[in-house]
Amino acid sequence: MSTQVSPILVGKGTEELFLSPRMANRHGLIAGATGTGKTVTLRVLAEQFSARGIPVFMADIKGDLSGMAKPGGDHPKVTERVRELGLEDFTYGGFPVVFWDIFGERGHPIRATVSEMGPLLISRILSLNETQSGVMSLVFKIADDNGLLLLDIKDLRAMVRFVGDNAAQFKTEYGNISPASIGAIQRNLLVLEEQGGDYLFGEPALDIMDFLQTDADGRGTVNILAAERLMQSPKVYATFLLWLLAELFEQLPEVGDPAKPKIVFFFDEAHLLFEDLSQVLEDRIEQVVRLIRSKGVGVYFVTQNPLDIPDKVLGQLGNRVQHALRAFTPRDQKAVQAAAQTFRTNPKLDTKTAIMELGVGEALVSLLDEKGTPAMVDRALVAPPRSSLTLLTADEFSRIVQRSLLFGTYEKTIDRESAYEILKKKAELSAAESAPPPSPERVTGRGRSGTADLLGAFAKSAAHAIGSQVGRQIIRGVLGSIFGSGKQR
Ligand SMILES: Nc1ncnc2c1ncn2[C@@H]1O[C@H](COP(=O)(O)OP(=O)(O)OP(=O)(O)O)[C@@H](O)[C@H]1O
Ligand SMILES: [Mg+2]
């Protein structure tokens, strides 16, 4: 059918261990304690995907990945590894990196609109409880029903306030909207704004297809999201990455099992994704991970311990690189035991002992064979990286950003008329007329048109703008609406 793509050397144990690009969409796991070599392993995989024309996405949690843009050289650990593995044709090389940054300082700005993110993920970002999330879903629904666009955080704030102020009128059609929930949402919105929520939401929103580029040499772009600052709000970080995954899921067509993935997505600090997660969201994540494979997306979770990841998700991660774990406490020992048991046993290898003994850049490796069966686990030295382990200088960095084909696409924000502007105009107008507030019976009992009356002529001015939003919702509906509007709880 499609041409064979050369296998990726991951490391060398009793023999050389290769990851088959055909199996790369069966997902993976890179685990290990701090300083054991996870980031270098991620980098080595990313380089080799890129070299085969496969774009990748990763978050740069510690700010130690920018050197991927330039060739390495003379790093003692790297030259030592080249020698240990006897890699005769090893060459250094830089890769086509595209830098992204929610705060717009360390790369192209990257944003989502509030409505794209949907009530479920927004509720997660805001740490809302179940009742409050229910109210958030209603806020989205009322906005949808009235053609009010939710683009940025001030739209959401205005909309929440509008719904709160008119809770009595909305009650018949939408159900109870308690002032306590509205108050909690408003407080959490303030916290989010302090954490940089203003940067996160707005337009132009990311077109996820911009991740899926190749350079003039046919190499996949290496998309690096600056995450040092973002990590100060771990929930925002994890939810934003989840949204990126959901976008990939929704935008990419079905491709079955291709010769190589369309993109590989590394989810670093993956434990954050699963921390105190609601069952609904956990199920959805499990669903996304399961279904995204046939869209040609490989997801690689990077975390300290495999036990950070729910069993149902862990069971789907076919390609595994387990670096050393420490076993100081009884709890650690249990984790080591459990991690050891996730591998297909190798009679010649005591995985439990090995996990505790592994050196830096050494790992227990089990990759899927051509039939999709996990190979027997082997203790291996991970291949060395080709790019530089030193950071880019400020000059090198800004040159890359400015020469990027995407430069200019996201740099300037646009603020078109949306919920905030429309609700503001409405408030100004009714203040000017000093008209009494709309009477409840005019509004209630008449469903949608009643609410539209409440908004007066302003809903019409929004009508031109809703086309795209409605279109998106229909698309989401067809694709199963993983995190979109409408699904509550
Ligand atoms: N495969 C490798 N080849 C050569 N050197 C390696 C390899 N893996 C790790 N090293 C060396 O070990 C150092 C630490 O590795 P790395 O940064 O990947 O650890 P980590 O597990 O990501 O740590 P942290 O949890 O602190 O982020 C690297 O800077 C490099 O010098
Ligand atoms: Mg690291």
Side-chain angles (χ1 to χ4, degrees):
M1 193 178 59
S2 31
T3 48
Q4 179 80 22
V5 182
S6 65
I8 294 169
L9 178 71
V10 175
K12 199 168 180 179
T14 40
E15 53 193 72
E16 290 186 325
L17 304 173
F18 291 98
L19 170 61
S20 157
R22 190 177 289 283
M23 291 297 147
N25 68 335
R26 307 278 189 103
H27 308 322
L29 174 75
I30 301 171
T34 45
T36 55
K38 294 186 299 297
T39 304
V40 171
T41 297
L42 176 160
R43 180 196 283 251
V44 167
L45 292 179
E47 291 177 353
Q48 294 307 313
F49 285 131
S50 170
R52 285 160 182 74
I54 305 160
V56 299
F57 168 87
M58 62 184 75
D60 192 359
I61 307 267
K62 293 203 168 154
D64 56 1
L65 286 171
S66 68
M68 283 195 75
K70 60 179 178 184
D74 291 344
H75 190 288
K77 289 265 179 54
V78 175
T79 44
E80 185 188 325
R81 189 55 54 97
V82 172
R83 194 169 32 76
E84 283 170 317
L85 298 190
L87 303 173
E88 273 148 30
D89 53 358
F90 182 86
T91 47
Y92 291 108
F95 292 82
V97 172
V98 176
F99 291 104
W100 300 92
D101 181 11
I102 282 177
F103 302 101
E105 289 164 359
R106 312 281 312 143
H108 306 299
I110 184 169
R111 324 177 181 81
T113 65
V114 166
S115 61
E116 278 174 334
M117 202 162 273
L120 200 54
L121 294 189
I122 300 263
S123 296
R124 169 82 174 155
I125 283 188
L126 293 175
S127 308
L128 302 183
N129 68 26
E130 215 170 296
T131 315
Q132 295 155 358
S133 308
V135 170
M136 182 58 86
S137 293
L138 292 182
V139 168
F140 270 71
K141 184 152 185 7
I142 294 170
D144 281 351
D145 289 350
N146 291 282
L148 290 166
L149 275 177
L150 301 176
L151 301 177
D152 51 26
I153 210 156
K154 64 185 185 338
D155 289 330
L156 183 57
R157 201 187 328 110
M159 195 65 212
V160 169
R161 185 169 164 197
F162 174 70
V163 170
D165 288 351
N166 298 280
Q169 283 95 317
F170 289 127
K171 187 172 174 166
T172 323
E173 193 181 346
Y174 296 96
N176 197 36
I177 298 160
S178 83
S181 294
I182 292 286
I185 293 174
Q186 286 173 325
R187 278 191 302 281
N188 292 351
L189 269 172
L190 271 180
V191 174
L192 178 63
E193 278 174 278
E194 280 158 18
Q195 292 172 342
D198 263 350
Y199 294 94
L200 191 58
F201 297 110
E203 287 187 318
L206 173 72
D207 176 356
I208 199 85
M209 292 305 175
D210 283 341
F211 279 0
L212 278 76
Q213 306 297 316
T214 46
D215 75 351
D217 300 327
R219 297 178 304 169
T221 51
V222 175
N223 296 282
I224 298 183
L225 175 71
E228 276 175 289
R229 184 168 165 200
L230 184 58
M231 281 303 287
Q232 289 166 17
S233 325
K235 249 187 196 147
V236 179
Y237 161 80
T239 314
F240 187 71
L241 260 62
L242 182 55
W243 174 73
L244 291 174
L245 264 186
E247 281 292 298
L248 283 172
F249 176 77
E250 298 196 359
Q251 306 286 332
L252 291 176
E254 289 282 331
V255 289
D257 282 317
K260 64 180 185 188
K262 296 275 175 251
I263 183 170
V264 170
F265 190 104
F266 292 96
F267 205 127
D268 208 339
E269 300 286 348
H271 67 280
L272 295 172
L273 180 59
F274 302 106
E275 256 165 30
D276 55 21
L277 196 61
S278 72
Q279 194 57 49
V280 191
L281 209 43
E282 188 178 315
D283 292 346
R284 298 278 169 83
I285 292 172
E286 191 259 323
Q287 202 183 352
V288 172
V289 173
R290 182 159 39 81
L291 299 175
I292 207 166
R293 177 184 138 188
S294 62
K295 309 245 167 155
V297 181
V299 184
Y300 288 67
F301 289 101
V302 183
T303 191
Q304 298 242 343
N305 194 292
L307 299 186
D308 298 337
I309 295 174
D311 278 347
K312 270 193 188 160
V313 176
L314 191 61
Q316 298 181 51
L317 312 181
N319 299 294
R320 299 194 182 179
V321 180
Q322 172 71 59
H323 288 283
L325 289 174
R326 315 271 170 246
F328 300 133
T329 67
R331 196 176 164 271
D332 290 342
Q333 279 153 25
K334 241 170 96 187
V336 167
Q337 176 82 39
Q341 282 170 351
T342 62
F343 286 104
R344 186 183 141 198
T345 48
N346 176 345
K348 295 203 189 94
L349 190 65
D350 173 0
T351 45
K352 190 181 167 204
T353 312
I355 285 182
M356 295 184 285
E357 289 174 357
L358 293 166
V360 175
E362 195 183 4
L364 294 182
V365 178
S366 170
L367 306 168
L368 295 177
D369 67 17
E370 287 296 335
K371 293 203 185 77
T373 315
M376 207 180 266
V377 59
D378 200 355
R379 179 172 175 167
L381 289 173
V382 174
R386 288 164 196 267
S387 56
S388 175
L389 291 171
T390 33
L391 306 186
L392 293 184
T393 64
D395 272 358
E396 288 170 328
F397 174 78
S398 48
R399 219 174 307 135
I400 287 176
V401 172
Q402 273 155 32
R403 279 198 198 145
S404 156
L405 290 176
L406 291 170
F407 187 73
T409 310
Y410 297 103
E411 270 61 20
K412 209 169 160 317
T413 52
I414 43 179
D415 189 9
R416 63 181 161 130
E417 185 171 75
S418 47
Y420 168 80
E421 289 80 9
I422 292 168
L423 291 169
K424 188 163 159 244
K425 269 195 220 160
K426 183 198 140 41
E428 282 163 6
L429 196 79
S430 50
E433 286 172 347
S434 67
S439 68
E441 72 271 4
R442 223 186 105 212
V443 173
T444 53
R446 283 208 281 156
R448 216 158 269 193
S449 62
T451 333
D453 282 353
L454 187 68
L455 286 161
F458 292 99
K460 285 203 193 77
S461 74
H464 73 279
I466 53 173
S468 63
Q469 192 186 20
V470 170
R472 179 171 273 278
Q473 272 173 359
I474 291 166
I475 290 165
R476 293 204 159 197
V478 169
L479 294 176
S481 183
I482 293 281
F483 299 108
S485 309
K487 298 257 164 75
Q488 342 175 345
R489 212 155 38 96

